[in-house]
Structures are given as C-alpha cells and as structure tokens.
Amino acid sequence: MPYVTIPDDTPIQLYYEDSGGDGRPVVLIHGWPLSTEAWAGQVPTLVDAGYRAIAYDRRGFGRSDKAPDGYEYDTLASDLQHLVTELDLTGAVLVGFSMGGGEVARYIGRYGESRLAGAVLASAITPALCITDDNPDGGMPMSGFGGLRDECRGDRDAFVEKFMTWFFSNPSEMTIGDDQFRDVLRVAAQGSDKALRDTIIAWATDFREDVAKFTVPTLVIHGDADNNVPFPASGQRAAQLIEGSRLHVVAGGPHGVNVSHADEFNAVLLDFLGSL
C-alpha cells in the first residue's frame, strides 16, 4: 500500500490512494472522523472524466499512523504539503470536505498556490466557526467545542453515532440507508481516540487570514440543511470573503452532501474542474 513518510522524531506514515492517469491531480481531503473511503462516490467519477484522483487518510485516521500529536492545522497542513511535494503535484486542485477545508485554507495560507490550479471548500469549517468578540458570526463558542470533545472522551461510540446521525440528517430525516450508516461507523472506528478528540478542538481554528490569501479559482459547495457546520456561519461567509469564488448551495443538503447528493455534488465539481 502507498504511504508518504512525514519526517519527525518518530516518522509518521500517511496512507494515500492515487487513482487515474496523467490528468489534472485532484486531492481529496476527508472530514471527521472518516478516511479516504468517504470519497468512494467521487473517485470513479473523477477518474472516468480523465482526472487523477488522490485521496489520503489524515494522521490518526483510517490507515495512517496513529500519531501521538500533531492534530492542529499547522501540522495537518504540513502533512498535506509533504504529500503534494512527494508526489510532485502541479496544477492540482485541493478539495477539502468539512475539517478538510481547514487543511486547504492553512495550506494556501502557509505554502501559497504555486502548485495549485484551484480549490474546493465542501461543507467546510472555514472561515472561522468559533464565536469570539471579533468573530460574532461564527457557529459556536469555544465552550461548545470543548463540550463536544468531552462527550467524545466520555463515550466515544455514542458520540460518533450521534454526530454521524446529524451528519446525514436533513435536518432530522436520515438521508442514507442503515447499511451505509453502519459502514460509516466502521470507518470512524479506525480513528484513534486522541485524533478524534484533539481535532474537535482544531475545528475552532480561525482561518480568515488564510482565506484572504486565496487567488486561485475557488468553489464553495454547501448544503443549506447542514446540522454540523451551518451554512450561514461557514459556506456563505467563505464565499463572501473569497473574491470571485463560485458558490453552489445544495437545497435540502445535510452535512454529508457528497454522499447524500452525490450526483449533484459530482456534477458541480466536474463543471468547476472543467472551467480551469
């Protein structure tokens, strides 16, 4: 299986899947608490359209090493940079789903856009979810993120099941079947306890300075019935802050729109990629 080695006192192995041929690279960055498997509905479509689809498991999740630390966005973006440089990607498009949008934003904020042709923020936590004095339009105060982490620490399985129910609810009706939901829980079980807890706190990161550095064409796609990352506090604001960005709102879409509304999601993504 392919891995990228992240140098550290104890090197970290990041698992990735590289599908397709010589077409434009599209790097898919999953949300919490999932893995590359979250993109099963997108990879074949991208490959069939001639793109090179690259998905990887964030440290601590899926088949990547369960690192003892590094679950904040400077490190997570550095991991992405190692992947991009190791594979020598150019003209790439970064597609960040949910907390994966944070990697996209911090990557551009720290490493620039020289290797990129575009960016996609899908159901993303950008630009700044944490409510503060200078960010009153966020989604939740810091105490809320701490409360979610404590719930996860107290009964991980119960919390993950509740969170993933929100993930696919619209706003209270489940949008996927029982078998698919059980498979989602199976994927979530691969993450380490520490990775799950620490990345919940990382969701409170303020990415406004990072987002201000976007100049590549950007697609923002978000469901208007998102229980986990409410559209007004995230996708709507990101589209307003990124000059020239393209916004697509999935009517009735929950958080997991790439699964619940896969055909619409894929069509919008392909249309965006085709415009680059």
Side-chain angles (χ1 to χ4, degrees), residues 214-231:
F214 281 42
T215 64
V216 291
T218 301
L219 168 67
V220 178
I221 182 168
H222 213 109
D224 63 6
D226 190 326
N227 290 316
N228 297 60
V229 182
F231 172 65

Side-chain angles (χ1 to χ4, degrees), residues 22-27 51-52 84 88-94 107 113-119 216 273 276:
D22 298 327
R24 183 184 299 282
V26 180
V27 182
Y51 295 99
R52 178 184 175 189
V84 169
D88 194 23
L89 303 182
T90 57
V93 178
L94 302 181
Y107 176 92
E113 301 172 325
S114 63
R115 289 181 175 269
L116 304 184
V216 291
L273 293 172
L276 301 178

Side-chain angles (χ1 to χ4, degrees), residues 10-234:
T10 301
I12 304 299
Q13 299 291 310
L14 286 189
Y15 172 81
Y16 73 95
E17 296 179 355
D18 191 345
S19 306
D22 298 327
R24 183 184 299 282
V26 180
V27 182
L28 304 165
I29 309 166
H30 66 83
W32 189 100
L34 302 174
S35 74
T36 57
E37 294 185 65
W39 296 107
Q42 282 68 56
V43 170
T45 298
L46 289 168
V47 171
D48 287 348
Y51 295 99
R52 178 184 175 189
I54 301 163
Y56 71 97
D57 293 348
R58 181 180 292 107
R59 65 167 58 206
F61 294 82
R63 285 150 288 189
S64 288
D65 282 351
K66 307 306 184 276
D69 52 27
Y71 298 107
E72 32 65 38
Y73 273 102
D74 284 351
T75 300
L76 297 177
S78 176
D79 289 348
L80 174 57
Q81 166 72 345
H82 280 290
L83 176 78
V84 169
T85 55
E86 178 79 12
L87 299 182
D88 194 23
L89 303 182
T90 57
V93 178
L94 302 181
V95 182
F97 177 85
S98 192
M99 75 167 290
E103 271 105 330
V104 174
R106 185 53 51 89
Y107 176 92
I108 290 176
R110 290 192 68 182
Y111 302 105
E113 301 172 325
S114 63
R115 289 181 175 269
L116 304 184
V120 180
L121 300 174
S123 302
I125 63 172
T126 47
L129 277 185
C130 189
I131 296 172
T132 60
D133 289 344
D134 73 340
N135 186 47
D137 297 325
M140 187 165 59
M142 192 67 208
S143 59
F145 295 98
L148 293 176
R149 177 195 56 192
D150 292 344
E151 278 193 65
C152 188
R153 177 184 288 125
D155 189 337
R156 166 185 161 146
D157 290 345
F159 176 75
V160 168
E161 183 169 354
K162 179 174 73 171
F163 185 89
M164 299 314 291
T165 299
W166 297 339
F167 199 103
F168 290 111
S169 294
N170 166 29
S172 57
E173 180 183 4
M174 182 64 83
T175 60
I176 64 173
D178 291 344
D179 289 346
Q180 198 168 18
F181 188 70
R182 282 192 290 270
D183 199 46
V184 165
L185 297 181
R186 174 191 61 79
V187 175
Q190 298 171 2
S192 75
D193 289 344
K194 183 170 178 59
L196 266 64
R197 294 196 302 262
D198 286 6
T199 50
I200 289 172
I201 296 302
W203 301 344
T205 303
D206 189 334
F207 297 104
R208 286 177 292 177
E209 291 186 4
D210 302 294
V211 166
K213 296 178 181 179
F214 281 42
T215 64
V216 291
T218 301
L219 168 67
V220 178
I221 182 168
H222 213 109
D224 63 6
D226 190 326
N227 290 316
N228 297 60
V229 182
F231 172 65
S234 52

